[in-house]
Amino acid sequence: MSNLKISYRCPSNIALIKYWGKKAEGIQLPANASISLTLSDLYAETTISAVDGNISGKPSFSLLLDGKPKKSFETKIQHFLERIWDQYSIVREMHLQIETSNNFPHGTGIASSAAGFGALALCISELEEEYTNGKYKHTVENASKIARLGSGSACRSVFGKPAVWGKHEYFDKSSDEYAIEFDYEIAFPLNQLNDAVLIIDAGEKTVSSSEGHGLLSGNPYAEARYKSATANLSKIAEALKKGNIHHFIHIVESEALQLHAMMMLSNPYYILMRPGTLAVIEKIWKFREQTGLPVMFTLDAGANVHVLYPDEYTEQIVNFIENELLLFCQNRTYLRSRTGRGPEKLTN
Ligand code: DP6
């Protein structure tokens, strides 16, 4: 058996409707459906070389992150490979040499697991097709399914268009097991959005996303949150189809604040926003009121602020960010990205 090798680039994503909470039954199934934008310019590049052979009866792999071993990521990958062990002969029978890197700087507090597991899943799915001579079919759906088992939000990263994950009545083909593309036409000006990620706090989060999800079980407010997210997904789908940016802004900002409200309503309670997060939000609101420009924020499970805006206002919004928001950013750091391109295979 010859050695197999493959490389993929896979972008990160930012959720508009948040996945926050998992179903009690099943593995990595979301408590509510979510939708995200794929961020073309923030990505992971992963290469896997599958070499003969693995007779150890458990996953065998080596991992280099930016050329160096990384213990915490290794443990996650170990769990991930155990989860897909039964279905993927390449995991059972080969030793996998995994090399991965992110194009965004370390220590920015940006979650790299969505991009990382997206790229890993694409590599494994395609290698499996080659290894089994086509008995297994590599599809983006299969890649999404396995990406989910690495990190829930990763299953949305394997698409270029906005991706919906979780069973929802608005989307016939939606599933808890994998994400699907938002397959409606998106109307101007929401068809090309930009995301400027303001690095407010580059430090490690005090509570990880996985722990955060866990704190929703037994939380008396959780059911109301899931209901709200479900309703918001239908509303945002309508806004995207109609290009209704005012509704869109309202839903996106409300979702970000609901996510952080759930952290404050957890037991133990916690806050991941920092003073700079709130200062930036206030500045955005004031700027929007004064100029009427459609700029908005969203947050992931951390202090950093994602500033979203349509293409046509790039110049004004970038000026605003550089003149008024950078002083709240660590080392005046922010990263610009936009939606549009999905993952890319880097090998032939
Ligand atoms: C706040 O996907 O990182 O970013 O499934 O445990 O790996 P695990 O969690 P993760 O959670 C992401 C939560 C979020 C919202 C979102 O991306 O939808």
Side-chain angles (χ1 to χ4, degrees), residues 94-343:
M94 303 286 266
H95 171 78
L96 306 177
Q97 294 171 342
I98 305 168
E99 283 177 56
T100 187
S101 60
N102 302 316
N103 79 326
F104 41 89
H106 281 297
T108 50
I110 296 186
S112 53
S113 62
F117 278 110
L120 199 62
L122 285 159
C123 288
I124 286 183
S125 180
E126 203 164 315
L127 279 180
E128 179 76 5
E129 177 170 287
E130 209 175 320
Y131 186 64
T132 60
N133 291 319
K135 274 200 213 100
Y136 165 92
K137 284 271 167 280
H138 164 63
T139 60
V140 69
E141 189 180 284
N142 279 335
S144 177
K145 213 183 253 181
I146 51 176
R148 180 196 104 233
L149 296 170
S151 177
S153 55
C155 76
R156 298 183 310 233
S157 261
V158 295
F159 301 93
K161 288 174 101 184
V164 174
W165 172 39
K167 192 72 201 140
H168 191 282
E169 61 178 15
Y170 199 98
F171 304 92
D172 289 345
K173 296 189 189 128
S174 59
S175 167
D176 281 350
E177 294 194 6
Y178 50 84
I180 56 166
E181 231 169 44
F182 181 83
D183 60 358
Y184 297 99
E185 180 117 16
I186 299 175
F188 177 84
L190 296 173
N191 53 349
Q192 185 56 73
L193 289 168
N194 291 264
D195 182 0
V197 191
L198 308 191
I199 309 303
I200 306 292
D201 190 337
E204 284 275 316
K205 287 183 271 191
T206 45
V207 179
S208 73
S209 285
S210 295
E211 288 166 317
H213 286 289
L215 290 174
L216 265 74
S217 62
N219 181 328
Y221 301 95
E223 282 310 317
R225 161 63 199 149
Y226 303 147
K227 238 172 145 176
S228 172
T230 303
N232 278 343
L233 182 49
S234 304
K235 287 186 200 155
I236 211 165
E238 286 295 309
L240 285 165
K241 280 157 78 174
K242 295 189 180 126
N244 190 332
I245 194 141
H246 298 296
H247 284 173
F248 184 82
I249 290 175
H250 183 82
I251 300 160
V252 166
E253 292 191 343
S254 171
E255 275 290 314
L257 295 178
Q258 285 188 33
L259 167 69
H260 284 260
M262 292 315 294
M263 299 175 193
M264 296 182 218
L265 291 169
S266 291
N267 184 13
Y269 47 79
Y270 61 106
I271 299 178
L272 294 184
M273 289 186 285
R274 308 290 309 143
T277 314
L278 293 178
V280 164
I281 291 174
E282 282 198 345
K283 285 268 184 196
I284 290 173
W285 283 344
K286 201 170 252 172
F287 179 80
R288 195 163 73 215
E289 198 183 300
Q290 284 167 353
T291 63
L293 294 176
V295 55
M296 75 209 85
F297 72 89
T298 187
L299 307 166
D300 60 15
N304 297 336
V305 183
H306 291 248
V307 183
L308 304 179
Y309 54 95
D311 247 5
E312 55 175 327
Y313 306 105
T314 301
E315 197 184 322
Q316 294 103 304
I317 306 297
V318 168
N319 277 338
F320 162 61
I321 291 171
E322 298 198 341
N323 294 329
E324 296 195 44
L325 303 184
L326 278 198
L327 72 150
F328 302 105
C329 300
Q330 264 191 8
N331 304 322
R332 300 178 68 81
T333 306
Y334 83 109
L335 307 168
R336 282 173 65 180
S337 185
R338 64 209 297 273
T339 56
R341 294 188 305 272

Side-chain angles (χ1 to χ4, degrees), residues 14 22 33 39 89 141 216 221:
I14 178 71
K22 304 184 193 199
L39 301 175
S89 54
E141 189 180 284
L216 265 74
Y221 301 95

Side-chain angles (χ1 to χ4, degrees), residues 15-29:
L16 303 172
I17 304 299
K18 308 294 180 181
Y19 147 55
W20 198 239
K22 304 184 193 199
K23 289 210 161 88
E25 69 284 5
I27 302 175
Q28 288 279 93
L29 302 176

